[in-house]
Amino acid sequence: MSKVPLPTVPHLKRVTAKTFQHVTQLHFSTTNNYENSRYNGTTATATPPSKKRIRVISCDVTGTLVSFLGRIEDHYGNAARTCGIEITPQEQRNMSRCFNQAYRETSASHPCFGNSKISSKEWWRRCVKRSFDLLGTNMTDSEHERVFQRVYSTFGSHAAYGAFPDAIPFLKWAHRRGISCGVISNADERYGDSILPMLGLGDDMQFFCFSKNVGFEKPHKKIFEAAISEAEPWLCLEKWMGTGSQAGERTPLKPEEILHIGNDFKKDYVGAKEAGFHAVLLDRYDEKELADSWREGGAPVFKDLIDVVEYLGREQFELGSRDRCGAYLNGNEISSKYGPIRKVYE
């Protein structure tokens, strides 16, 4: 509910963890050979991997990890009718236009979903009421409140949102590679509190950076800088000093060690690049002309998250790790005072 609804999602192929395993084996074999020889103390016969490293992946939400389901006019019209409010077919057709205007007006009067001034729920209450006022619906205050509660609950349910088939396997793949994942979104905190967990996307995400909390929206540099601060505590990448030696000091997270994935050229690509991040865009809805314009602007554009994994392999990025504080190399196994730790490259 945090942005204008997106087109209906076309059929996507079934994505499984096995798909990501195949792609990973195909594109990271050279890196694996080099890393294994380094851990074994033998001479590497493969070319060392590039010094480019990705330690963090940040994602937009709607249109990237999550699909908006249904249409605004249907969700709002059904909510009104359920509460006994008559909505004509013509009024329902006008609902999307009224919502878009109400959204712009509410955003102008209370930026970033009210930030610290009003709650996000109150922000949506005002937006929903304004939508029906613009439609010309005559409702009492109590009727407005009943309709709002119905709308608000709908947009916290499976009726309005669904995870793309590749989202969960991608996050699990990144987690196994030791990459910390999170969200940078022009949205309110309900995504992180309930919607993403409801869709099964919460377990493998470490940080959430919403414009509601930060007070700035993409493409502003401030929200990307806030994401660095949110992500860094999850990283404990040490400087390896050699086999059997104690690990060195922790290296701070740098902007160029973050990949941002989104679906808006200005907000996600330009904003991320100006903050020093790597950035790619997803064309989830086969919008060829739009995607071509993104490419002309210099953005790498892909159909899905499997393509992003392949891209990282082609570009030979090293993949960073997390939860390795106090770790050291001991033969073929990375250990710490908490016990064995999975290798960065498997």
Side-chain angles (χ1 to χ4, degrees), residues 71-74 76-77 81 85-99 131-132 134-137:
R71 301 184 303 175
I72 285 287
E73 55 265 37
D74 294 333
Y76 276 53
R81 278 189 290 271
I85 307 300
E86 183 180 351
I87 299 291
T88 68
Q90 183 59 49
E91 287 175 331
Q92 183 153 332
R93 285 192 291 271
N94 292 336
M95 188 72 245
S96 180
R97 174 181 55 79
C98 294
F99 166 77
S131 298
F132 282 102
L134 289 169
L135 191 63
T137 308

Side-chain angles (χ1 to χ4, degrees), residues 180-243:
S180 181
C181 292
V183 162
I184 305 177
S185 177
N186 291 351
D188 63 78
E189 72 282 4
R190 191 156 68 136
Y191 268 127
D193 292 345
S194 59
I195 295 173
L196 292 174
M198 173 189 72
L199 298 174
L201 297 172
D203 290 345
D204 293 307
M205 304 192 85
Q206 286 73 53
F207 65 93
F208 301 93
C209 199
F210 298 107
S211 58
K212 163 70 175 174
N213 300 328
V214 177
F216 293 93
E217 293 186 333
K218 297 179 297 183
H220 201 288
K221 190 176 181 180
K222 290 285 187 181
I223 194 169
F224 291 97
E225 291 175 341
I228 296 175
S229 298
E230 291 292 326
E232 191 166 38
W234 293 93
L235 298 173
C236 293
L237 183 64
E238 309 290 344
K239 291 181 179 178
W240 305 116
M241 303 302 291
T243 301

Side-chain angles (χ1 to χ4, degrees), residues 234-299:
W234 293 93
L235 298 173
C236 293
L237 183 64
E238 309 290 344
K239 291 181 179 178
W240 305 116
M241 303 302 291
T243 301
S245 66
Q246 194 68 29
E249 63 182 18
R250 192 178 81 177
T251 55
L253 177 62
K254 302 173 184 176
E256 61 267 26
E257 296 173 324
I258 303 174
L259 171 68
H260 182 69
I261 307 172
N263 71 326
D264 186 286
F265 183 80
K266 183 177 180 181
K267 295 174 184 176
D268 292 307
Y269 181 73
V270 175
K273 293 292 286 184
E274 289 183 349
F277 292 20
H278 296 279
V280 301
L281 297 176
L282 297 186
D283 174 26
R284 290 285 199 182
Y285 303 104
D286 295 322
E287 298 173 286
K288 186 179 184 305
E289 290 186 6
L290 182 61
D292 286 345
S293 71
W294 294 346
R295 292 186 182 95
E296 290 172 3

